[in-house]
Amino acid sequence: MSIEVSTKKTRLLLEDPRFRIRPLQQVVSACTGALITACFMTPLDVVKTRLQAQQTTTNKCFLYCNGLMDHLCPCDPNMPTHLKPEKRLNGTIDAFVKIARHEGVGSLWSGLSPTLVSALPSTIVYFVAYEQFKMRALELHYKYLAEVKGSPRGREIPFHIPLLSGVSARICAVTFVSPIELIRTKMQSQKMSYHEMISTVRMVMKTQGFFGLFRGLPPTILRDVPFSGIYWTCYENIKSFFGVEEPTFGFSFMAGAVSGSLAATITTPFDVVKTHEQIEFGEKVLFADKPPANVSNLNIRQRLWSIYRMNGIRGLFAGLGPRLLKVAPACAIMISTFEHSKAFFYHYNIEKHNEAILMANQRVKGV
């Protein structure tokens, strides 16, 4: 049997509704990947954020950690002077050393628990939405080929399907999680009861309006939506190029790392903008005793220009090193775990289907 015939047969089996991965199974696969990725990647996000945050004029230190998601938390302003890190972090390795030395190794995992709180629902929405969007788009594409063009299914997934599916899934995920991020940011700054949390929501809506809950959403979309489109397009095309329908753990790991690195490099300036904007919002609103009625709202172009004017091209790509060190393995771990879990459930579904047929045959023979 040729490779092409084998690949076509595998694709037909994967798309068979009887064996198709169920949404709940996709949820479990996404959660598994999110847990593993967050535990490994949080330290690199802490370093990336510190390198970006030191460009701002705020007199507080914020950790903008996102093992898979984003949040802010302030350093203790009453920290003794001898425990405070030096003013400047000179690169990734220097940041690791200084943070661990002055704040303890555990600080490299600052915010891991709250990261997981928002990472899990976001990852579920993102990966399940991507799988559903891709499946529906492929069904329409194959229907179009059969009815309009009268041609058989192609071997490769069309370029636009992973691109549009990735973009649509990321928009759903970041919009869903954005209000949760700001609420959790305030909760991280101090212990809060349920009533106080509701009061915080009302305070933000009163001073900033309903859309104040979505502060930072535009730069998040500009960073994450192109990232998602580029990432999934690269990943699916790498699979198609090598004729892989059911990737191994190793293949998914390498393909995810390559795709994630390319997407991260292109979108880093928007990551810097989002860091600056949410740090400013946290300083002036969330962590302020008397939040102002209005907060300066520079548009994205103005923020990019401001960062470029102060720090040049290097400022726009601040934290690129640790971002790549985080994103490449994070994407690799996440997609390989997700694909491996999907493969497990796919074969599980086949096994259960065969068992059902066997039991049905036995009942018929018994009759």
Side-chain angles (χ1 to χ4, degrees):
M1 183 183 294
S2 67
I3 295 177
E4 185 170 350
V5 173
S6 177
T7 301
K8 185 176 181 180
K9 183 178 179 181
T10 302
R11 173 174 291 180
L12 290 173
L13 286 172
L14 287 170
E15 294 171 356
D16 192 319
R18 296 173 298 173
F19 313 136
R20 187 176 291 161
I21 312 300
R22 313 289 188 264
L24 182 59
Q25 294 172 337
Q26 293 172 351
V27 168
V28 174
S29 300
C31 285
T32 303
L35 287 168
I36 296 174
T37 304
C39 290
F40 276 97
M41 295 301 112
T42 295
L44 288 167
D45 256 330
V46 171
V47 170
K48 172 187 73 81
T49 300
R50 291 293 187 91
L51 290 171
Q52 292 177 354
Q54 70 181 2
Q55 298 180 97
T56 67
T57 58
T58 177
N59 60 359
K60 290 185 179 180
C61 176
F62 291 87
L63 304 180
Y64 178 84
C65 311
N66 61 333
L68 289 174
M69 287 307 305
D70 308 324
H71 66 273
L72 297 165
C73 56
C75 292
D76 185 359
N78 299 316
M79 183 188 299
T81 304
H82 71 279
L83 293 179
K84 292 182 180 179
E86 286 82 3
K87 293 181 179 180
R88 300 294 299 178
L89 301 175
N90 302 311
T92 304
I93 302 300
D94 182 62
F96 269 112
V97 172
K98 288 179 178 177
I99 292 172
R101 179 188 301 163
H102 295 284
E103 301 174 41
V105 175
S107 64
L108 292 171
W109 279 269
S110 298
L112 176 59
S113 296
T115 294
L116 291 175
V117 169
S118 64
L120 293 180
S122 173
T123 304
I124 289 170
V125 171
Y126 179 45
F127 279 86
V128 174
Y130 174 77
E131 291 290 322
Q132 296 299 315
F133 283 135
K134 186 180 76 168
M135 181 183 68
R136 303 302 177 193
L138 283 174
E139 288 176 351
L140 291 174
H141 175 69
Y142 293 145
K143 184 177 180 181
Y144 169 78
L145 289 178
E147 296 181 357
V148 179
K149 292 195 171 184
S151 59
R153 297 183 177 191
R155 179 180 172 183
E156 297 181 356
I157 294 178
F159 178 87
H160 68 279
I161 288 181
L163 176 65
L164 295 178
S165 298
V167 165
S168 301
R170 179 53 72 182
I171 290 175
C172 292
V174 298
T175 304
F176 174 77
V177 173
S178 186
I180 300 175
E181 288 300 306
L182 289 180
I183 294 170
R184 194 183 71 252
T185 297
K186 181 65 175 178
M187 293 179 69
Q188 286 177 255
S189 67
Q190 62 189 71
K191 292 184 178 181
M192 298 178 65
S193 64
Y194 179 79
H195 176 73
E196 289 171 331
M197 182 184 71
I198 297 298
S199 298
T200 297
V201 174
R202 290 174 179 170
M203 179 271 292
V204 172
M205 293 183 65
K206 181 179 179 180
T207 58
Q208 304 296 315
F210 173 75
F211 291 103
L213 295 174
F214 294 88
R215 183 78 177 189
L217 182 59
T220 302
I221 288 177
L222 277 177
R223 180 196 66 181
D224 289 357
V225 169
F227 178 97
S228 185
I230 295 168
Y231 172 76
W232 285 113
T233 302
C234 290
Y235 180 74
E236 296 289 358
N237 276 275
I238 290 173
K239 286 172 60 179
S240 296
F241 180 80
F242 288 99
V244 174
E245 289 297 332
E246 189 177 355
T248 63
F249 186 91
F251 181 90
S252 296
F253 192 94
M254 295 304 298
V258 171
S259 303
S261 296
L262 178 61
T265 300
I266 295 173
T267 57
T268 291
F270 299 113
D271 184 44
V272 175
V273 167
K274 184 168 188 288
T275 299
H276 281 233
E277 180 161 315
Q278 286 204 328
I279 286 175
E280 177 184 324
F281 188 66
E283 170 77 14
K284 294 182 178 180
V285 178
L286 295 181
F287 302 126
D289 295 329
K290 296 181 179 179
N294 295 302
V295 178
S296 62
N297 191 22
L298 297 177
N299 60 41
I300 294 168
R301 182 185 60 82
Q302 291 171 325
R303 287 189 180 277
L304 286 170
W305 172 246
S306 175
I307 294 169
Y308 173 76
R309 187 175 55 193
M310 292 177 60
N311 302 287
I313 292 293
R314 293 185 64 181
L316 292 175
F317 288 88
L320 176 60
R323 178 165 160 80
L324 286 176
L325 285 174
K326 174 261 176 180
V327 168
C331 289
I333 294 170
M334 184 66 217
I335 194 63
S336 55
T337 306
F338 184 66
E339 292 278 26
H340 187 73
S341 299
K342 281 171 55 183
F344 168 82
F345 285 119
Y346 165 69
H347 291 288
Y348 172 83
N349 292 343
I350 292 178
E351 183 179 340
K352 289 297 180 181
H353 176 74
N354 292 338
E355 287 179 0
I357 292 177
L358 182 61
M359 292 179 64
N361 290 337
Q362 289 175 345
R363 285 196 296 268
V364 170
K365 289 179 180 179
V367 173

